[in-house]
Amino acid sequence: MSLRATLRRGLDRAERGLDPLFGPDWNPLANLGPLGWFLFWIVAATGVYLFIFFDTGVVDAYASVEWLSNDHWFHAGVARSLHRYASDLMVVVMLLHLAREFVYDRYRGKRWFSWVTGVPIVWFVYMSGITGYWLVWDQLAQYVAQTSTELLDALPIFAEPIARNFLTPESLSSRFFTLLVFLHIAIPLILLLAMWIHIQRISLARTKPPRGLAAITLGALVLVSLLLPASSQGPADLATVPAVVGLDWFLLGLYPVIDMVPPGVIWTGALLFTLVLIGLPWAPPRAEAPAAKVFLDHCNGCSRCVADCPYGAITLVRRSDGAPFLHEVEVDAGRCVACGICMGSCPSSTPFRRSGDLITGIDLPERSLAALRAEVIEAAAQLTGTGRVLTIACGFGAGGAPAPGRVVLPCVAMAPPSLFDFILSRGLADGVAIAGCAERDCQNRLGRSWTLQRIARERDPFLRNRVPRPRLLTVWAGPSEVARLEAETAGFAEALAAMGPYADQRPLDPAEARGAAAATTARAEQIVEAAK
């Protein structure tokens, strides 16, 4: 097992451990992105409120912070503490989100954009926090200001060393403080813009956590703010050097290192760290399957694939082939990750077709609908006895490993509901197990949701009414839950054996089975050639 697979299983176990406490939908590790947005708005709202009471003067800055923290602790003081702890938690959430996307391999290939645009966010978050500490103008602020300006002066970009502003009490003016206030407002605005750019290649991006999780997070922050209110560390005095300061290790943890290491080494390390992060999607590059291909003879521009694509890779454009439809769909190969969800959403994706080539409106060149039907027929031939279960599994969940009677897909939403009807009505199996990613998280974001809505007959393409729902099993299990998948599948097989054969079976024509299997390779090669 590779190191990444080991880390993925370990992280899956950790996330599963939180499910009993929060439930899959409220699991904080599965909502790190939305939590980051929520914490940003908490920090922004409390920051605006605090600015009402804040005096930007050198002399009055510390006094105004003390006044709002002590005389008005029940609102402004709580807001100050909430501002501080939400900022710290935002750092933790951001770093966990970064690590989680790396472990789950969601940063390489066509997903590079979200990763690369996320790198500046890391620095903007830290810069926002650091400039905020300056404004308190206590002994910690003095230490941070002097250390930061000495580090900045190592860069040949200023006409005069800015550290001179902190040599004596007389050298620091209120105008400099006004500049700090401007920076502390401008940097978060740039951060917000960077966060908006970060989600531009994600359809239906989640920027709000579940209400219950949001309430728990806000309640916990308020409780901590009341029990451990943020406090200053004595007024700054440029005539002396603070002997001991208490650091906020979430935002200022690197400052002791900055004190001990030459500035050139710090800047070189920061640059290399940034370049490494930016270059990770191509180190090594991931070989991905070709993008989905549109076949206009079978596309009426219904836009279902546009609505279902998790990555905004499919758009509607004007019709180009003279057919009596207004639109056709177009695939952006730079965004398509070949998850196959679009194929599962196409109304022409039906395995029942017997005349002509089995072509759908949008297909995967290396995993066509014709090839999928042949794989299903081949997997069904491996099933014996009563209570036969054919498993349609996601390659990123508990069913990702090949096994008899199992067809592994990039995403279970690649399978159109008509495929389940085909399996049952043709007697290929007595039941179908749909084994997707863990319930708390989908590798392709929307695959679980679309699958559930389709088989519940709430989203096109609908599962036909004739398909008995008890003969479909859905198991949402992560890579560390293989035993659970096997146990639920075994129990499902026993239930199917008790039900007996499906009454609406129409046996598969042997000639059809042989033809589907024989045509798979040839058709796949044709589609690949056409896509080049």
Side-chain angles (χ1 to χ4, degrees):
M1 185 182 298
S2 66
L3 176 60
R4 189 185 300 277
T6 302
L7 292 174
R8 184 179 297 161
R9 285 177 178 269
L11 183 56
D12 185 66
R13 288 192 186 96
E15 293 177 3
R16 185 153 47 93
L18 294 176
D19 280 347
L21 296 175
F22 296 93
D25 292 336
W26 292 8
N27 193 309
L29 291 179
N31 288 278
L32 293 172
L35 277 177
W37 279 87
F38 181 63
L39 292 168
F40 173 85
W41 292 120
I42 293 177
V43 173
T46 53
V48 171
Y49 189 71
L50 290 172
F51 188 70
I52 298 173
F53 304 93
F54 184 71
D55 194 317
T56 59
V58 176
V59 177
D60 298 326
Y62 178 83
S64 67
V65 172
E66 288 297 284
W67 175 73
L68 66 87
S69 299
N70 298 319
D71 295 2
H72 295 270
W73 67 268
F74 53 92
H75 62 98
V78 172
R80 179 195 177 185
S81 300
L82 194 58
H83 187 75
R84 188 266 179 85
Y85 293 129
S87 300
D88 288 345
L89 185 57
M90 187 176 179
V91 172
V92 174
V93 166
M94 174 186 67
L95 296 180
L96 284 176
H97 182 55
L98 188 76
R100 187 173 187 269
E101 296 304 292
F102 176 81
V103 170
Y104 283 139
D105 202 13
R106 296 173 181 166
Y107 65 98
R108 292 191 296 160
K110 306 297 176 58
R111 294 189 175 193
W112 68 269
F113 180 84
S114 295
W115 178 271
V116 171
T117 55
V119 174
I121 292 176
V122 175
W123 292 117
F124 284 128
V125 166
Y126 276 103
M127 286 190 290
S128 298
I130 291 170
T131 55
Y133 270 107
W134 287 24
L135 297 181
V136 179
W137 204 232
D138 59 356
Q139 293 180 5
L140 175 60
Q142 178 182 341
Y143 165 73
V144 171
Q146 291 175 330
T147 305
S148 301
T149 52
E150 289 172 3
L151 183 64
L152 288 171
D153 284 339
L155 299 175
I157 56 177
F158 300 104
E160 296 182 359
I162 57 176
R164 290 181 180 178
N165 291 283
F166 303 99
L167 292 177
T168 62
E170 295 76 19
S171 60
L172 185 61
S173 67
S174 295
R175 294 175 63 184
F176 189 80
F177 247 72
T178 303
L179 174 62
L180 292 182
V181 172
F182 171 77
L183 289 176
H184 194 55
I185 295 174
I187 293 174
L189 291 176
I190 299 173
L191 170 61
L192 180 60
L193 175 63
M195 292 167 64
W196 177 78
I197 294 173
H198 179 61
I199 62 173
Q200 286 310 292
R201 286 200 175 188
I202 302 175
S203 298
L204 303 176
R206 293 192 305 136
T207 58
K208 298 178 181 178
R211 290 185 179 180
L213 180 60
I216 291 172
T217 304
L218 180 58
L221 287 171
V222 171
L223 181 62
V224 172
S225 299
L226 291 172
L227 296 177
L228 298 172
S231 59
S232 303
Q233 300 185 29
D237 182 4
L238 294 180
T240 63
V241 177
V244 179
V245 292
L247 288 179
D248 177 351
W249 292 100
F250 296 99
L251 283 163
L252 307 175
L254 291 178
Y255 270 71
V257 179
I258 295 175
D259 274 342
M260 296 183 293
V261 178
V265 176
I266 296 295
W267 285 116
T268 301
L271 178 61
L272 290 177
F273 174 74
T274 304
L275 292 177
V276 167
L277 281 183
I278 292 175
L280 277 178
W282 299 277
R286 181 170 60 196
E288 292 190 302
K293 181 173 175 57
V294 178
F295 295 88
L296 291 181
D297 289 346
H298 301 270
C299 174
N300 63 4
C302 70
S303 78
R304 290 173 187 167
C305 57
V306 178
D308 283 6
C309 179
Y311 307 103
I314 309 174
T315 53
L316 277 182
V317 297
R318 296 289 298 178
R319 198 76 188 190
S320 63
D321 62 348
F325 304 107
L326 291 176
H327 300 100
E328 64 186 58
V329 296
E330 185 176 79
V331 177
D332 183 347
R335 295 190 179 189
C336 178
V337 303
C339 64
I341 292 177
C342 55
M343 188 179 89
S345 69
C346 184
S348 64
S349 293
T350 170
F352 287 99
R353 194 181 310 153
R354 302 180 65 176
S355 60
D357 290 332
L358 181 55
I359 303 175
T360 185
I362 187 166
D363 221 339
L364 294 185
E366 289 190 353
R367 201 76 181 276
S368 66
L369 181 62
L372 177 56
R373 183 176 70 170
E375 288 179 46
V376 165
I377 294 171
E378 182 180 353
Q382 302 169 354
L383 301 175
T384 58
T386 59
R388 298 168 302 150
V389 178
L390 195 151
T391 303
I392 304 295
C394 168
F396 299 95
R406 180 184 296 176
V407 177
V408 181
L409 303 178
C411 180
V412 290
M414 175 181 171
S418 57
L419 182 65
F420 311 140
D421 186 8
F422 177 78
I423 293 169
L424 295 174
S425 64
R426 292 299 187 262
L428 298 177
D430 299 311
V432 179
I434 303 167
C437 293
E439 186 175 357
R440 76 192 77 89
D441 185 49
C442 176
Q443 179 73 12
N444 286 299
R445 300 186 54 249
L446 303 173
R448 173 180 170 271
S449 298
W450 294 165
T451 300
L452 286 174
Q453 291 180 32
R454 290 171 189 171
I455 62 179
R457 304 178 179 100
E458 297 173 350
R459 188 180 188 87
D460 271 338
F462 302 121
L463 180 70
R464 290 182 180 179
N465 288 327
R466 75 180 187 185
V467 179
R469 187 63 181 83
R471 291 187 179 269
L472 295 182
L473 171 70
T474 55
V475 183
W476 309 106
S480 65
E481 300 177 273
V482 176
R484 178 189 152 206
L485 173 61
E486 293 175 349
E488 293 199 25
T489 305
F492 182 50
E494 293 178 3
L496 291 172
M499 291 181 199
Y502 178 37
D504 195 24
Q505 287 184 6
R506 288 179 293 278
L508 183 67
D509 184 348
E512 181 181 359
R514 290 193 299 271
T520 299
T521 304
R523 182 61 195 148
E525 291 176 353
Q526 290 175 6
I527 297 177
V528 171
E529 285 299 320
K532 291 180 179 179

